[in-house]
Amino acid sequence: MSTTEQRVAVVTGAARGIGAATAVRLAAEGRAVAVIDLDEAACKDTVEKITAAGGTALAVGCDVSDEAQVEAAVARIAEELGGPTILVNNAGVLRDNLLFKMSVSDWDTVMNVHLRGAFLMSRACQKYMVDAKFGRIVNLSSSSALGNRGQVNYSAAKAGMQGFTKTLAKELGKFGVTANAVAPGFIATDMTAATAERVGMGFEDFKAAAATQIPVQRVGEADDIANAVAFFTGEAAGFVSGQVLYVAGGPLD
Ligand SMILES: NC(=O)c1ccc[n+]([C@@H]2O[C@H](COP(=O)([O-])OP(=O)(O)OC[C@H]3O[C@@H](n4cnc5c(N)ncnc54)[C@H](O)[C@@H]3O)[C@@H](O)[C@H]2O)c1
């Protein structure tokens, strides 16, 4: 590919939150961005933000845990934008509960969206990366990978994302493809707002309480994560692979 050709990036779960901020950021870096989320119409805001700034974006409805939908979505992206060589596996859900109350369906949903979704998306996109001899895969892990009460499903999935990332790095490195994980701490999004609601706290109080436990004394914003993803997906980051970057306002225990 010539250096003037625009690279195509795919960001999953990009209708809102960290995914939306990442899609906007990658577009600002000059990427054409496929904005994937469950509902195509819900991707409209992110796409409009990108196109209003002069960028190129495509809204794609897709459940990343569904093999046929993933295959169709990636084929459509390749057709309409070009073969994707940057992939951010960001789509995620929470189904928190203590072990003794956790249902099999809550376990399976979290495994399917995070791990199965990242697997299906990476498998569908890798051929374009191998052909281009260039690729950047970034997987969203979490500080919960280190263990978090009430999240036995989510912490297992997010720790799994780290092993998945390191293996992708080893398998795909010889094709010019890097794989890295970003592990956020507390980021203010609808996901953490829903957790505040679940534990019966106002979001502002919940954020203020979290901030007291974070060395930089604030919670993270979606852009804090988008910045880290922009680094890993950059042209200059080709020798950085198989890494897990905690972005949490300080070190974690
Ligand atoms: N917010 C945090 O504090 C935090 C911390 C650590 C890790 N993370 C991770 O970062 C990622 C983004 O989190 P967020 O806070 O922006 O969450 P969010 O809930 O605001 O957004 C997640 C998006 O993913 C989409 N999604 C869910 N299931 C999907 C599926 N099957 N297919 C396609 N899209 C799907 C949702 O519709 C939603 O738009 C997630 O992987 C999350 O686990 C978030």
Side-chain angles (χ1 to χ4, degrees):
M1 135 172 193
S2 79
T3 48
T4 53
E5 208 174 314
Q6 191 175 35
R7 295 202 195 275
V8 175
V10 179
V11 185
T12 69
R16 67 183 199 196
I18 292 169
T22 299
V24 169
R25 176 60 194 267
L26 296 189
E29 304 270 322
R31 298 2 182 137
V33 183
V35 175
I36 287 188
D37 213 293
L38 284 171
D39 173 19
E40 185 168 321
C43 301
K44 195 168 143 261
D45 284 356
T46 309
V47 167
E48 276 176 6
K49 219 168 168 182
I50 291 170
T51 50
T56 303
L58 174 71
V60 181
C62 169
D63 176 348
V64 297
S65 67
D66 184 296
E67 183 181 12
Q69 288 189 38
V70 166
E71 292 297 325
V74 173
R76 181 180 159 208
I77 291 162
E79 177 76 24
E80 294 189 33
L81 288 181
T85 55
I86 298 169
L87 169 64
V88 184
N89 285 309
N90 167 82
V93 287
L94 293 181
R95 292 290 185 274
D96 294 356
N97 228 327
L98 293 172
L99 174 64
F100 77 103
K101 290 195 278 191
M102 186 169 289
S103 67
V104 168
S105 123
D106 285 346
W107 174 270
D108 287 346
T109 298
V110 167
M111 290 302 149
N112 286 344
V113 176
H114 296 268
L115 285 176
R116 193 169 202 263
F119 154 65
L120 291 172
M121 287 297 308
S122 302
R123 194 182 62 173
C125 291
Q126 57 81 31
K127 55 180 170 287
Y128 300 101
M129 301 183 188
V130 169
D131 284 352
K133 296 188 175 53
F134 172 93
R136 299 280 185 262
I137 300 173
V138 179
N139 297 313
L140 268 288
S141 178
S142 168
S143 54
S144 294
L146 302 170
N148 198 24
R149 193 179 151 78
Q151 293 195 316
V152 72
N153 50 359
Y154 185 77
S155 61
K158 291 309 202 185
M161 290 295 256
Q162 298 188 9
F164 176 70
T165 301
K166 290 175 191 184
T167 300
L168 289 181
K170 289 187 177 187
E171 287 191 15
L172 298 175
K174 64 180 173 213
F175 303 109
V177 179
T178 67
N180 292 284
V182 174
F186 186 119
I187 310 298
T189 66
D190 289 343
M191 184 177 272
T192 37
T195 302
E197 202 178 326
R198 197 175 57 80
V199 300
M201 275 178 87
F203 195 32
E204 292 310 314
D205 289 344
F206 191 62
K207 285 191 287 185
T212 65
Q213 305 302 311
I214 299 171
V216 300
Q217 295 287 288
R218 69 169 177 90
V219 299
E221 300 296 332
D223 281 339
D224 289 313
I225 305 307
N227 285 334
V229 176
F231 166 70
F232 280 131
T233 58
E235 303 293 316
F239 205 56
V240 182
S241 195
Q243 301 305 300
V244 178
L245 180 64
Y246 283 89
V247 181
L252 297 162
D253 298 331

